[in-house]
Amino acid sequence: PNRTLPPLPGLKLAPHRELEQAQQRGRLKCSSCGGSWMFFCYTCCSLVGVSQQEIPSVKLPIKIDIIKHPSEVDGKSTAIHAKILAPDDVTIYTYPCIPEYEDDTDKVVLVFPGPGSVSVEEMTWRLQNLADMKSAASPDEEPSPKRPRAEETPEAT
Ligand SMILES: [Zn+2]
């Protein structure tokens, strides 16, 4: 790999004047839970002392469900940052509350470290091979490998 490449080539930084002003105002009460926070409430995932218009909103190419350990300290979690920046695509659950994925197992990827884990690169390679094997094994199926089904995303509840 070329080490001179920037790590985030497409990164665009939004102005952060709003955050500096919020920092000067200090901690404020969350309108939902009453907790005292700066920038956002870790419990409600809502902005505190910062307006939604001033915060960039990101549309992700995938849906992300974050399953938190019940003992994970909210203030240490970076899941909230993802939820605040991509509110339409990120949902946070606390174990044992986990969404049902049984009908979508071919579209769901579990990101978790473990002895059987593979790299994202290897996963992509494996999924492509699996798709190739499937289309070769059942030529009766729809000829187009890119079906519009990929547009469908399970509704998070
Ligand atoms: Zn709150």
Side-chain angles (χ1 to χ4, degrees):
N2 187 344
R3 287 175 194 274
T4 59
L5 283 174
L8 300 166
L11 182 67
K12 294 178 196 163
L13 288 176
H16 51 276
R17 223 186 89 215
E18 179 85 1
L19 295 180
E20 287 167 356
Q21 290 171 345
Q23 196 161 25
Q24 284 169 4
R25 287 191 292 268
R27 287 171 164 245
L28 293 171
K29 278 199 190 311
C30 168
S31 56
S32 303
C33 71
S36 179
W37 304 99
M38 193 183 297
F39 306 134
F40 55 86
C41 174
Y42 284 89
T43 310
C44 308
C45 292
S46 57
L47 295 171
V48 176
V50 183
S51 68
Q52 189 66 57
Q53 293 86 345
E54 300 294 332
I55 300 298
S57 190
V58 180
K59 178 82 189 110
L60 300 179
I62 53 169
K63 296 286 180 189
I64 298 180
D65 290 342
I66 297 167
I67 321 277
K68 285 180 64 187
H69 190 281
S71 309
E72 185 178 1
V73 180
D74 284 339
K76 298 277 183 193
S77 171
T78 51
I80 290 97
H81 304 81
K83 175 68 183 168
I84 284 175
L85 292 176
D88 294 339
D89 300 316
V90 174
T91 309
I92 300 174
Y93 299 88
T94 301
Y95 183 85
C97 177
I98 298 178
E100 292 285 338
Y101 296 113
E102 278 161 30
D103 296 335
D104 297 301
T105 50
D106 58 334
K107 294 188 235 165
V108 175
V109 172
L110 175 66
V111 180
F112 194 79
S117 298
V118 298
S119 68
V120 172
E121 190 180 31
E122 189 178 345
M123 178 201 71
T124 309
W125 184 82
R126 283 189 188 190
L127 288 175
Q128 187 55 54
N129 274 12
L130 196 68
D132 291 347
M133 275 165 43
K134 271 187 182 173
S135 60
S138 54
D140 298 347
E141 270 194 22
E142 298 168 72
S144 169
K146 284 184 180 175
R147 284 176 285 177
R149 277 186 56 197
E151 300 279 321
E152 289 176 24
T153 43
E155 280 298 312
T157 49

